[in-house]
Amino acid sequence: PQAIASLIGLCDWVKKCIETSSGSEQLDILRSNDPGSFEAVQAIATGIPRSGHSVVGVGTYRDAEEGWKKLAKEFVELELSEEAELYLLRGARLVGIEHLAE
């Protein structure tokens, strides 16, 4: 059996971590090591396009993909997703993060 958790709250959590500069080890790593990906993640979380862009579009999602997947995994590992927690409590295990899987 397989299940997909929609990770409700992920975007709000990332936005809060950006605004407070705390709460996410992965975000700190991304901010330090890959500023371009960090800016793309920030644009997605806040809905504000990156500098020089008029929209949060396909390129932004592409540039944020790897960072966003790491943040999604951290979100689940920190037990912030009720849906994922339900599956994990029933013996499931996280096997992957699908980018834009809605």
Side-chain angles (χ1 to χ4, degrees):
Q2 294 184 352
I4 295 176
S6 58
L7 302 185
I8 294 167
L10 173 61
C11 213
D12 290 336
W13 173 73
V14 172
K15 181 179 177 185
K16 179 183 168 197
C17 290
I18 289 169
E19 290 171 347
T20 62
S21 296
S22 65
S24 170
E25 183 178 320
Q26 288 301 319
L27 196 58
D28 292 341
I29 292 168
L30 197 61
R31 182 184 283 123
S32 297
N33 298 338
D34 192 348
S37 292
F38 174 79
E39 288 176 5
V41 164
Q42 183 175 16
I44 292 168
T46 63
I48 299 170
R50 297 181 280 179
S51 178
H53 295 258
S54 59
V55 297
V56 178
V58 174
T60 301
Y61 283 93
R62 180 196 61 232
D63 294 347
E65 181 174 355
E66 289 308 311
W68 200 259
K69 284 179 171 181
K70 289 175 182 176
L71 288 162
K73 185 175 183 204
E74 182 179 30
F75 184 75
V76 171
E77 289 172 347
L78 290 172
E79 301 178 358
L80 299 173
S81 168
E82 291 179 10
E83 188 177 2
E85 269 306 291
L86 173 68
Y87 298 139
L88 293 169
L89 288 171
R90 299 290 184 252
R93 61 187 172 88
L94 178 64
V95 294
I97 301 290
E98 294 291 325
H99 188 244
L100 301 176
E102 294 185 325

PDB file of all heavy atoms in Angstrom, residues 47-85:
ATOM      1  N   GLY A  47       4.943  34.080  -2.000  1.00  0.00           N
ATOM      2  CA  GLY A  47       4.144  34.504  -3.150  1.00  0.00           C
ATOM      3  C   GLY A  47       4.666  35.773  -3.803  1.00  0.00           C
ATOM      4  O   GLY A  47       4.033  36.338  -4.683  1.00  0.00           O
ATOM      5  N   ILE A  48       5.845  36.222  -3.386  1.00  0.00           N
ATOM      6  CA  ILE A  48       6.444  37.442  -3.928  1.00  0.00           C
ATOM      7  C   ILE A  48       7.543  37.032  -4.916  1.00  0.00           C
ATOM      8  O   ILE A  48       8.492  36.334  -4.536  1.00  0.00           O
ATOM      9  CB  ILE A  48       7.049  38.311  -2.805  1.00  0.00           C
ATOM     10  CG1 ILE A  48       5.944  38.716  -1.830  1.00  0.00           C
ATOM     11  CG2 ILE A  48       7.752  39.535  -3.386  1.00  0.00           C
ATOM     12  CD1 ILE A  48       6.449  39.360  -0.550  1.00  0.00           C
ATOM     13  N   PRO A  49       7.430  37.446  -6.178  1.00  0.00           N
ATOM     14  CA  PRO A  49       8.426  37.035  -7.187  1.00  0.00           C
ATOM     15  C   PRO A  49       9.845  37.472  -6.805  1.00  0.00           C
ATOM     16  O   PRO A  49      10.049  38.473  -6.115  1.00  0.00           O
ATOM     17  CB  PRO A  49       7.974  37.766  -8.454  1.00  0.00           C
ATOM     18  CG  PRO A  49       6.531  38.058  -8.241  1.00  0.00           C
ATOM     19  CD  PRO A  49       6.376  38.278  -6.760  1.00  0.00           C
ATOM     20  N   ARG A  50      10.794  36.703  -7.286  1.00  0.00           N
ATOM     21  CA  ARG A  50      12.206  37.037  -7.084  1.00  0.00           C
ATOM     22  C   ARG A  50      12.524  38.354  -7.780  1.00  0.00           C
ATOM     23  O   ARG A  50      11.834  38.764  -8.715  1.00  0.00           O
ATOM     24  CB  ARG A  50      13.104  35.949  -7.662  1.00  0.00           C
ATOM     25  CG  ARG A  50      12.942  34.613  -7.003  1.00  0.00           C
ATOM     26  CD  ARG A  50      13.866  33.596  -7.592  1.00  0.00           C
ATOM     27  NE  ARG A  50      13.331  33.080  -8.860  1.00  0.00           N
ATOM     28  CZ  ARG A  50      13.937  32.188  -9.613  1.00  0.00           C
ATOM     29  NH1 ARG A  50      15.121  31.707  -9.262  1.00  0.00           N
ATOM     30  NH2 ARG A  50      13.387  31.759 -10.728  1.00  0.00           N
ATOM     31  N   SER A  51      13.589  38.978  -7.332  1.00  0.00           N
ATOM     32  CA  SER A  51      14.052  40.212  -7.945  1.00  0.00           C
ATOM     33  C   SER A  51      14.286  39.974  -9.441  1.00  0.00           C
ATOM     34  O   SER A  51      14.893  38.971  -9.831  1.00  0.00           O
ATOM     35  CB  SER A  51      15.357  40.648  -7.274  1.00  0.00           C
ATOM     36  OG  SER A  51      15.839  41.821  -7.880  1.00  0.00           O
ATOM     37  N   GLY A  52      13.768  40.867 -10.262  1.00  0.00           N
ATOM     38  CA  GLY A  52      13.920  40.739 -11.703  1.00  0.00           C
ATOM     39  C   GLY A  52      12.872  39.868 -12.368  1.00  0.00           C
ATOM     40  O   GLY A  52      12.904  39.664 -13.579  1.00  0.00           O
ATOM     41  N   HIS A  53      11.931  39.335 -11.601  1.00  0.00           N
ATOM     42  CA  HIS A  53      10.867  38.488 -12.140  1.00  0.00           C
ATOM     43  C   HIS A  53       9.521  39.146 -11.855  1.00  0.00           C
ATOM     44  O   HIS A  53       9.351  39.835 -10.852  1.00  0.00           O
ATOM     45  CB  HIS A  53      10.898  37.101 -11.493  1.00  0.00           C
ATOM     46  CG  HIS A  53      12.130  36.323 -11.805  1.00  0.00           C
ATOM     47  ND1 HIS A  53      12.152  35.317 -12.733  1.00  0.00           N
ATOM     48  CD2 HIS A  53      13.394  36.403 -11.316  1.00  0.00           C
ATOM     49  CE1 HIS A  53      13.369  34.806 -12.799  1.00  0.00           C
ATOM     50  NE2 HIS A  53      14.143  35.460 -11.943  1.00  0.00           N
ATOM     51  N   SER A  54       8.564  38.914 -12.739  1.00  0.00           N
ATOM     52  CA  SER A  54       7.247  39.515 -12.541  1.00  0.00           C
ATOM     53  C   SER A  54       6.239  38.548 -11.911  1.00  0.00           C
ATOM     54  O   SER A  54       5.200  38.971 -11.432  1.00  0.00           O
ATOM     55  CB  SER A  54       6.698  40.037 -13.872  1.00  0.00           C
ATOM     56  OG  SER A  54       6.597  38.974 -14.800  1.00  0.00           O
ATOM     57  N   VAL A  55       6.552  37.247 -11.939  1.00  0.00           N
ATOM     58  CA  VAL A  55       5.654  36.237 -11.376  1.00  0.00           C
ATOM     59  C   VAL A  55       6.470  35.143 -10.694  1.00  0.00           C
ATOM     60  O   VAL A  55       7.663  34.992 -10.947  1.00  0.00           O
ATOM     61  CB  VAL A  55       4.759  35.579 -12.457  1.00  0.00           C
ATOM     62  CG1 VAL A  55       3.836  36.595 -13.098  1.00  0.00           C
ATOM     63  CG2 VAL A  55       5.587  34.866 -13.499  1.00  0.00           C
ATOM     64  N   VAL A  56       5.804  34.388  -9.840  1.00  0.00           N
ATOM     65  CA  VAL A  56       6.380  33.162  -9.300  1.00  0.00           C
ATOM     66  C   VAL A  56       5.957  32.079 -10.279  1.00  0.00           C
ATOM     67  O   VAL A  56       4.835  31.586 -10.229  1.00  0.00           O
ATOM     68  CB  VAL A  56       5.861  32.865  -7.874  1.00  0.00           C
ATOM     69  CG1 VAL A  56       6.441  31.555  -7.370  1.00  0.00           C
ATOM     70  CG2 VAL A  56       6.180  34.009  -6.932  1.00  0.00           C
ATOM     71  N   GLY A  57       6.830  31.762 -11.204  1.00  0.00           N
ATOM     72  CA  GLY A  57       6.458  30.876 -12.301  1.00  0.00           C
ATOM     73  C   GLY A  57       7.253  29.585 -12.352  1.00  0.00           C
ATOM     74  O   GLY A  57       7.894  29.180 -11.373  1.00  0.00           O
ATOM     75  N   VAL A  58       7.215  28.971 -13.515  1.00  0.00           N
ATOM     76  CA  VAL A  58       7.832  27.667 -13.734  1.00  0.00           C
ATOM     77  C   VAL A  58       9.318  27.670 -13.382  1.00  0.00           C
ATOM     78  O   VAL A  58       9.811  26.747 -12.738  1.00  0.00           O
ATOM     79  CB  VAL A  58       7.625  27.220 -15.207  1.00  0.00           C
ATOM     80  CG1 VAL A  58       8.371  25.931 -15.497  1.00  0.00           C
ATOM     81  CG2 VAL A  58       6.150  27.052 -15.501  1.00  0.00           C
ATOM     82  N   GLY A  59      10.028  28.715 -13.777  1.00  0.00           N
ATOM     83  CA  GLY A  59      11.452  28.787 -13.476  1.00  0.00           C
ATOM     84  C   GLY A  59      11.729  28.838 -11.987  1.00  0.00           C
ATOM     85  O   GLY A  59      12.690  28.231 -11.495  1.00  0.00           O
ATOM     86  N   THR A  60      10.889  29.547 -11.260  1.00  0.00           N
ATOM     87  CA  THR A  60      11.049  29.630  -9.806  1.00  0.00           C
ATOM     88  C   THR A  60      10.842  28.259  -9.179  1.00  0.00           C
ATOM     89  O   THR A  60      11.637  27.828  -8.328  1.00  0.00           O
ATOM     90  CB  THR A  60      10.044  30.642  -9.213  1.00  0.00           C
ATOM     91  OG1 THR A  60      10.264  31.918  -9.811  1.00  0.00           O
ATOM     92  CG2 THR A  60      10.190  30.755  -7.708  1.00  0.00           C
ATOM     93  N   TYR A  61       9.807  27.549  -9.603  1.00  0.00           N
ATOM     94  CA  TYR A  61       9.552  26.211  -9.060  1.00  0.00           C
ATOM     95  C   TYR A  61      10.689  25.252  -9.407  1.00  0.00           C
ATOM     96  O   TYR A  61      11.097  24.431  -8.591  1.00  0.00           O
ATOM     97  CB  TYR A  61       8.204  25.677  -9.544  1.00  0.00           C
ATOM     98  CG  TYR A  61       7.049  26.300  -8.809  1.00  0.00           C
ATOM     99  CD1 TYR A  61       6.403  27.424  -9.306  1.00  0.00           C
ATOM    100  CD2 TYR A  61       6.620  25.786  -7.591  1.00  0.00           C
ATOM    101  CE1 TYR A  61       5.355  28.017  -8.623  1.00  0.00           C
ATOM    102  CE2 TYR A  61       5.571  26.360  -6.889  1.00  0.00           C
ATOM    103  CZ  TYR A  61       4.945  27.471  -7.419  1.00  0.00           C
ATOM    104  OH  TYR A  61       3.919  28.054  -6.724  1.00  0.00           O
ATOM    105  N   ARG A  62      11.224  25.375 -10.615  1.00  0.00           N
ATOM    106  CA  ARG A  62      12.343  24.527 -11.029  1.00  0.00           C
ATOM    107  C   ARG A  62      13.568  24.812 -10.157  1.00  0.00           C
ATOM    108  O   ARG A  62      14.217  23.899  -9.658  1.00  0.00           O
ATOM    109  CB  ARG A  62      12.676  24.783 -12.501  1.00  0.00           C
ATOM    110  CG  ARG A  62      13.838  23.942 -13.026  1.00  0.00           C
ATOM    111  CD  ARG A  62      14.413  24.471 -14.330  1.00  0.00           C
ATOM    112  NE  ARG A  62      14.914  25.830 -14.109  1.00  0.00           N
ATOM    113  CZ  ARG A  62      14.585  26.884 -14.868  1.00  0.00           C
ATOM    114  NH1 ARG A  62      13.756  26.754 -15.882  1.00  0.00           N
ATOM    115  NH2 ARG A  62      15.077  28.082 -14.596  1.00  0.00           N
ATOM    116  N   ASP A  63      13.887  26.090  -9.954  1.00  0.00           N
ATOM    117  CA  ASP A  63      15.064  26.463  -9.173  1.00  0.00           C
ATOM    118  C   ASP A  63      14.932  26.096  -7.701  1.00  0.00           C
ATOM    119  O   ASP A  63      15.933  25.892  -7.018  1.00  0.00           O
ATOM    120  CB  ASP A  63      15.333  27.961  -9.307  1.00  0.00           C
ATOM    121  CG  ASP A  63      15.736  28.367 -10.722  1.00  0.00           C
ATOM    122  OD1 ASP A  63      16.051  27.469 -11.543  1.00  0.00           O
ATOM    123  OD2 ASP A  63      15.721  29.577 -11.005  1.00  0.00           O
ATOM    124  N   ALA A  64      13.719  26.011  -7.211  1.00  0.00           N
ATOM    125  CA  ALA A  64      13.484  25.687  -5.791  1.00  0.00           C
ATOM    126  C   ALA A  64      13.324  24.198  -5.530  1.00  0.00           C
ATOM    127  O   ALA A  64      13.313  23.778  -4.368  1.00  0.00           O
ATOM    128  CB  ALA A  64      12.232  26.407  -5.299  1.00  0.00           C
ATOM    129  N   GLU A  65      13.224  23.391  -6.558  1.00  0.00           N
ATOM    130  CA  GLU A  65      12.818  21.990  -6.402  1.00  0.00           C
ATOM    131  C   GLU A  65      13.626  21.218  -5.357  1.00  0.00           C
ATOM    132  O   GLU A  65      13.048  20.625  -4.437  1.00  0.00           O
ATOM    133  CB  GLU A  65      12.880  21.255  -7.737  1.00  0.00           C
ATOM    134  CG  GLU A  65      12.456  19.805  -7.624  1.00  0.00           C
ATOM    135  CD  GLU A  65      12.375  19.082  -8.940  1.00  0.00           C
ATOM    136  OE1 GLU A  65      12.567  19.705 -10.010  1.00  0.00           O
ATOM    137  OE2 GLU A  65      12.102  17.871  -8.917  1.00  0.00           O
ATOM    138  N   GLU A  66      14.930  21.182  -5.479  1.00  0.00           N
ATOM    139  CA  GLU A  66      15.731  20.376  -4.544  1.00  0.00           C
ATOM    140  C   GLU A  66      15.635  20.908  -3.117  1.00  0.00           C
ATOM    141  O   GLU A  66      15.492  20.140  -2.170  1.00  0.00           O
ATOM    142  CB  GLU A  66      17.184  20.297  -5.009  1.00  0.00           C
ATOM    143  CG  GLU A  66      17.374  19.437  -6.249  1.00  0.00           C
ATOM    144  CD  GLU A  66      16.772  18.049  -6.125  1.00  0.00           C
ATOM    145  OE1 GLU A  66      17.013  17.364  -5.107  1.00  0.00           O
ATOM    146  OE2 GLU A  66      16.040  17.641  -7.050  1.00  0.00           O
ATOM    147  N   GLY A  67      15.698  22.217  -2.959  1.00  0.00           N
ATOM    148  CA  GLY A  67      15.563  22.807  -1.630  1.00  0.00           C
ATOM    149  C   GLY A  67      14.191  22.552  -1.041  1.00  0.00           C
ATOM    150  O   GLY A  67      14.054  22.239   0.147  1.00  0.00           O
ATOM    151  N   TRP A  68      13.155  22.664  -1.877  1.00  0.00           N
ATOM    152  CA  TRP A  68      11.785  22.453  -1.408  1.00  0.00           C
ATOM    153  C   TRP A  68      11.582  21.013  -0.954  1.00  0.00           C
ATOM    154  O   TRP A  68      10.930  20.755   0.057  1.00  0.00           O
ATOM    155  CB  TRP A  68      10.790  22.840  -2.506  1.00  0.00           C
ATOM    156  CG  TRP A  68       9.428  23.099  -1.961  1.00  0.00           C
ATOM    157  CD1 TRP A  68       8.364  22.260  -1.993  1.00  0.00           C
ATOM    158  CD2 TRP A  68       8.982  24.276  -1.271  1.00  0.00           C
ATOM    159  NE1 TRP A  68       7.281  22.838  -1.371  1.00  0.00           N
ATOM    160  CE2 TRP A  68       7.642  24.071  -0.924  1.00  0.00           C
ATOM    161  CE3 TRP A  68       9.597  25.470  -0.919  1.00  0.00           C
ATOM    162  CZ2 TRP A  68       6.891  25.026  -0.234  1.00  0.00           C
ATOM    163  CZ3 TRP A  68       8.858  26.412  -0.244  1.00  0.00           C
ATOM    164  CH2 TRP A  68       7.514  26.187   0.092  1.00  0.00           C
ATOM    165  N   LYS A  69      12.165  20.068  -1.685  1.00  0.00           N
ATOM    166  CA  LYS A  69      12.055  18.658  -1.291  1.00  0.00           C
ATOM    167  C   LYS A  69      12.712  18.427   0.075  1.00  0.00           C
ATOM    168  O   LYS A  69      12.169  17.707   0.917  1.00  0.00           O
ATOM    169  CB  LYS A  69      12.716  17.761  -2.334  1.00  0.00           C
ATOM    170  CG  LYS A  69      11.929  17.567  -3.590  1.00  0.00           C
ATOM    171  CD  LYS A  69      12.728  16.686  -4.536  1.00  0.00           C
ATOM    172  CE  LYS A  69      11.969  16.237  -5.728  1.00  0.00           C
ATOM    173  NZ  LYS A  69      12.783  15.377  -6.606  1.00  0.00           N
ATOM    174  N   LYS A  70      13.876  19.029   0.297  1.00  0.00           N
ATOM    175  CA  LYS A  70      14.557  18.875   1.585  1.00  0.00           C
ATOM    176  C   LYS A  70      13.740  19.505   2.713  1.00  0.00           C
ATOM    177  O   LYS A  70      13.651  18.953   3.815  1.00  0.00           O
ATOM    178  CB  LYS A  70      15.952  19.488   1.525  1.00  0.00           C
ATOM    179  CG  LYS A  70      16.893  18.678   0.662  1.00  0.00           C
ATOM    180  CD  LYS A  70      18.236  19.347   0.516  1.00  0.00           C
ATOM    181  CE  LYS A  70      19.123  18.522  -0.409  1.00  0.00           C
ATOM    182  NZ  LYS A  70      20.410  19.163  -0.666  1.00  0.00           N
ATOM    183  N   LEU A  71      13.130  20.649   2.427  1.00  0.00           N
ATOM    184  CA  LEU A  71      12.272  21.287   3.431  1.00  0.00           C
ATOM    185  C   LEU A  71      11.039  20.436   3.716  1.00  0.00           C
ATOM    186  O   LEU A  71      10.616  20.312   4.870  1.00  0.00           O
ATOM    187  CB  LEU A  71      11.859  22.681   2.962  1.00  0.00           C
ATOM    188  CG  LEU A  71      12.989  23.714   2.993  1.00  0.00           C
ATOM    189  CD1 LEU A  71      12.629  24.919   2.128  1.00  0.00           C
ATOM    190  CD2 LEU A  71      13.287  24.130   4.416  1.00  0.00           C
ATOM    191  N   ALA A  72      10.463  19.836   2.695  1.00  0.00           N
ATOM    192  CA  ALA A  72       9.293  18.971   2.885  1.00  0.00           C
ATOM    193  C   ALA A  72       9.648  17.763   3.752  1.00  0.00           C
ATOM    194  O   ALA A  72       8.896  17.382   4.658  1.00  0.00           O
ATOM    195  CB  ALA A  72       8.747  18.516   1.534  1.00  0.00           C
ATOM    196  N   LYS A  73      10.816  17.184   3.505  1.00  0.00           N
ATOM    197  CA  LYS A  73      11.256  16.043   4.309  1.00  0.00           C
ATOM    198  C   LYS A  73      11.457  16.461   5.764  1.00  0.00           C
ATOM    199  O   LYS A  73      11.047  15.763   6.692  1.00  0.00           O
ATOM    200  CB  LYS A  73      12.545  15.454   3.736  1.00  0.00           C
ATOM    201  CG  LYS A  73      12.981  14.218   4.446  1.00  0.00           C
ATOM    202  CD  LYS A  73      14.193  13.588   3.792  1.00  0.00           C
ATOM    203  CE  LYS A  73      14.522  12.298   4.540  1.00  0.00           C
ATOM    204  NZ  LYS A  73      15.887  11.917   4.403  1.00  0.00           N
ATOM    205  N   GLU A  74      12.076  17.621   5.955  1.00  0.00           N
ATOM    206  CA  GLU A  74      12.287  18.126   7.315  1.00  0.00           C
ATOM    207  C   GLU A  74      10.940  18.380   8.002  1.00  0.00           C
ATOM    208  O   GLU A  74      10.769  18.061   9.190  1.00  0.00           O
ATOM    209  CB  GLU A  74      13.114  19.406   7.270  1.00  0.00           C
ATOM    210  CG  GLU A  74      13.430  19.975   8.636  1.00  0.00           C
ATOM    211  CD  GLU A  74      14.273  21.240   8.574  1.00  0.00           C
ATOM    212  OE1 GLU A  74      14.174  22.004   7.577  1.00  0.00           O
ATOM    213  OE2 GLU A  74      15.026  21.466   9.522  1.00  0.00           O
ATOM    214  N   PHE A  75       9.978  18.933   7.280  1.00  0.00           N
ATOM    215  CA  PHE A  75       8.635  19.201   7.795  1.00  0.00           C
ATOM    216  C   PHE A  75       8.004  17.915   8.332  1.00  0.00           C
ATOM    217  O   PHE A  75       7.438  17.902   9.429  1.00  0.00           O
ATOM    218  CB  PHE A  75       7.801  19.807   6.662  1.00  0.00           C
ATOM    219  CG  PHE A  75       6.422  20.238   7.026  1.00  0.00           C
ATOM    220  CD1 PHE A  75       6.193  21.390   7.762  1.00  0.00           C
ATOM    221  CD2 PHE A  75       5.316  19.531   6.564  1.00  0.00           C
ATOM    222  CE1 PHE A  75       4.905  21.814   8.057  1.00  0.00           C
ATOM    223  CE2 PHE A  75       4.030  19.948   6.851  1.00  0.00           C
ATOM    224  CZ  PHE A  75       3.825  21.092   7.604  1.00  0.00           C
ATOM    225  N   VAL A  76       8.145  16.833   7.580  1.00  0.00           N
ATOM    226  CA  VAL A  76       7.599  15.542   8.015  1.00  0.00           C
ATOM    227  C   VAL A  76       8.392  15.015   9.217  1.00  0.00           C
ATOM    228  O   VAL A  76       7.805  14.557  10.196  1.00  0.00           O
ATOM    229  CB  VAL A  76       7.611  14.521   6.853  1.00  0.00           C
ATOM    230  CG1 VAL A  76       7.255  13.122   7.356  1.00  0.00           C
ATOM    231  CG2 VAL A  76       6.647  14.950   5.760  1.00  0.00           C
ATOM    232  N   GLU A  77       9.711  15.095   9.148  1.00  0.00           N
ATOM    233  CA  GLU A  77      10.553  14.575  10.238  1.00  0.00           C
ATOM    234  C   GLU A  77      10.330  15.325  11.547  1.00  0.00           C
ATOM    235  O   GLU A  77      10.468  14.751  12.623  1.00  0.00           O
ATOM    236  CB  GLU A  77      12.023  14.632   9.834  1.00  0.00           C
ATOM    237  CG  GLU A  77      12.368  13.610   8.769  1.00  0.00           C
ATOM    238  CD  GLU A  77      13.774  13.753   8.208  1.00  0.00           C
ATOM    239  OE1 GLU A  77      14.430  14.786   8.457  1.00  0.00           O
ATOM    240  OE2 GLU A  77      14.204  12.826   7.504  1.00  0.00           O
ATOM    241  N   LEU A  78       9.969  16.607  11.459  1.00  0.00           N
ATOM    242  CA  LEU A  78       9.672  17.391  12.666  1.00  0.00           C
ATOM    243  C   LEU A  78       8.249  17.151  13.174  1.00  0.00           C
ATOM    244  O   LEU A  78       7.813  17.784  14.135  1.00  0.00           O
ATOM    245  CB  LEU A  78       9.876  18.888  12.383  1.00  0.00           C
ATOM    246  CG  LEU A  78      11.314  19.338  12.179  1.00  0.00           C
ATOM    247  CD1 LEU A  78      11.367  20.792  11.721  1.00  0.00           C
ATOM    248  CD2 LEU A  78      12.125  19.140  13.452  1.00  0.00           C
ATOM    249  N   GLU A  79       7.541  16.233  12.514  1.00  0.00           N
ATOM    250  CA  GLU A  79       6.177  15.847  12.882  1.00  0.00           C
ATOM    251  C   GLU A  79       5.207  17.017  12.803  1.00  0.00           C
ATOM    252  O   GLU A  79       4.313  17.171  13.635  1.00  0.00           O
ATOM    253  CB  GLU A  79       6.163  15.198  14.271  1.00  0.00           C
ATOM    254  CG  GLU A  79       7.033  13.957  14.346  1.00  0.00           C
ATOM    255  CD  GLU A  79       7.083  13.315  15.725  1.00  0.00           C
ATOM    256  OE1 GLU A  79       6.461  13.836  16.682  1.00  0.00           O
ATOM    257  OE2 GLU A  79       7.750  12.277  15.846  1.00  0.00           O
ATOM    258  N   LEU A  80       5.367  17.843  11.758  1.00  0.00           N
ATOM    259  CA  LEU A  80       4.502  19.007  11.576  1.00  0.00           C
ATOM    260  C   LEU A  80       3.349  18.740  10.615  1.00  0.00           C
ATOM    261  O   LEU A  80       2.473  19.579  10.472  1.00  0.00           O
ATOM    262  CB  LEU A  80       5.336  20.203  11.086  1.00  0.00           C
ATOM    263  CG  LEU A  80       6.426  20.646  12.058  1.00  0.00           C
ATOM    264  CD1 LEU A  80       7.297  21.717  11.429  1.00  0.00           C
ATOM    265  CD2 LEU A  80       5.826  21.132  13.356  1.00  0.00           C
ATOM    266  N   SER A  81       3.347  17.588   9.981  1.00  0.00           N
ATOM    267  CA  SER A  81       2.267  17.223   9.072  1.00  0.00           C
ATOM    268  C   SER A  81       1.364  16.188   9.742  1.00  0.00           C
ATOM    269  O   SER A  81       1.769  15.044   9.954  1.00  0.00           O
ATOM    270  CB  SER A  81       2.832  16.638   7.772  1.00  0.00           C
ATOM    271  OG  SER A  81       1.799  16.045   7.015  1.00  0.00           O
ATOM    272  N   GLU A  82       0.160  16.592  10.065  1.00  0.00           N
ATOM    273  CA  GLU A  82      -0.773  15.666  10.720  1.00  0.00           C
ATOM    274  C   GLU A  82      -1.071  14.457   9.835  1.00  0.00           C
ATOM    275  O   GLU A  82      -1.157  13.333  10.322  1.00  0.00           O
ATOM    276  CB  GLU A  82      -2.072  16.390  11.073  1.00  0.00           C
ATOM    277  CG  GLU A  82      -1.905  17.415  12.168  1.00  0.00           C
ATOM    278  CD  GLU A  82      -3.195  18.141  12.491  1.00  0.00           C
ATOM    279  OE1 GLU A  82      -4.271  17.729  12.014  1.00  0.00           O
ATOM    280  OE2 GLU A  82      -3.123  19.132  13.235  1.00  0.00           O
ATOM    281  N   GLU A  83      -1.227  14.695   8.542  1.00  0.00           N
ATOM    282  CA  GLU A  83      -1.549  13.606   7.628  1.00  0.00           C
ATOM    283  C   GLU A  83      -0.393  12.603   7.537  1.00  0.00           C
ATOM    284  O   GLU A  83      -0.597  11.395   7.634  1.00  0.00           O
ATOM    285  CB  GLU A  83      -1.872  14.172   6.252  1.00  0.00           C
ATOM    286  CG  GLU A  83      -2.402  13.143   5.281  1.00  0.00           C
ATOM    287  CD  GLU A  83      -2.786  13.756   3.946  1.00  0.00           C
ATOM    288  OE1 GLU A  83      -2.607  14.969   3.736  1.00  0.00           O
ATOM    289  OE2 GLU A  83      -3.256  12.997   3.102  1.00  0.00           O
ATOM    290  N   ALA A  84       0.814  13.111   7.382  1.00  0.00           N
ATOM    291  CA  ALA A  84       1.973  12.217   7.330  1.00  0.00           C
ATOM    292  C   ALA A  84       2.134  11.475   8.645  1.00  0.00           C
ATOM    293  O   ALA A  84       2.460  10.282   8.663  1.00  0.00           O
ATOM    294  CB  ALA A  84       3.232  13.008   6.998  1.00  0.00           C
ATOM    295  N   GLU A  85       1.903  12.160   9.759  1.00  0.00           N
ATOM    296  CA  GLU A  85       2.003  11.527  11.067  1.00  0.00           C
ATOM    297  C   GLU A  85       1.018  10.372  11.209  1.00  0.00           C
ATOM    298  O   GLU A  85       1.342   9.322  11.765  1.00  0.00           O
ATOM    299  CB  GLU A  85       1.752  12.542  12.183  1.00  0.00           C
ATOM    300  CG  GLU A  85       2.982  13.216  12.696  1.00  0.00           C
ATOM    301  CD  GLU A  85       4.051  12.248  13.134  1.00  0.00           C
ATOM    302  OE1 GLU A  85       3.903  11.544  14.150  1.00  0.00           O
ATOM    303  OE2 GLU A  85       5.071  12.190  12.432  1.00  0.00           O
TER     304      GLU A  85
END
